Amino acid sequence: MVNELGLLYIGGVTILFFFWAYGIVSFVLDLKNIIIPKGRQFLRGRRRMKEEQKREEEREERERQLY
């Protein structure tokens, strides 16, 4: 038979399991909704900056060739 200490232990483990599961679900949702979109936005911005820099260098090169 299970005594009072055993019931307390099982209850405590159950409560800790729910907090653990909630933490994992919360982390996955944060990844999906916040971290991954911010990472994509950052990479798009970096690519756009590189393209603008390349266009600027090509424009400056054309200007130098004209003079």
Side-chain angles (χ1 to χ4, degrees):
M1 291 300 200
V2 178
N3 59 13
E4 294 169 359
L5 186 59
L7 286 174
L8 183 63
Y9 178 78
I10 291 172
V13 168
T14 303
I15 290 172
L16 288 177
F17 170 77
F18 284 118
F19 283 117
W20 176 76
Y22 175 79
I24 290 174
V25 170
S26 177
F27 177 72
V28 169
L29 290 175
D30 283 348
L31 279 176
K32 182 184 128 222
N33 296 326
I34 297 173
I35 296 171
I36 292 174
K38 294 285 184 182
R40 287 181 180 164
Q41 182 181 11
F42 174 76
L43 292 176
R44 276 194 311 264
R46 295 276 304 234
R47 286 187 201 117
R48 188 172 296 135
M49 286 175 54
K50 285 181 182 179
E51 290 172 0
E52 289 175 3
Q53 184 179 12
K54 186 177 178 182
R55 277 190 236 123
E56 181 69 24
E57 289 174 358
E58 289 173 354
R59 186 185 63 78
E60 288 176 359
E61 182 64 29
R62 276 185 265 132
E63 284 180 358
R64 273 189 245 123
Q65 289 175 358
L66 289 174
Y67 291 114

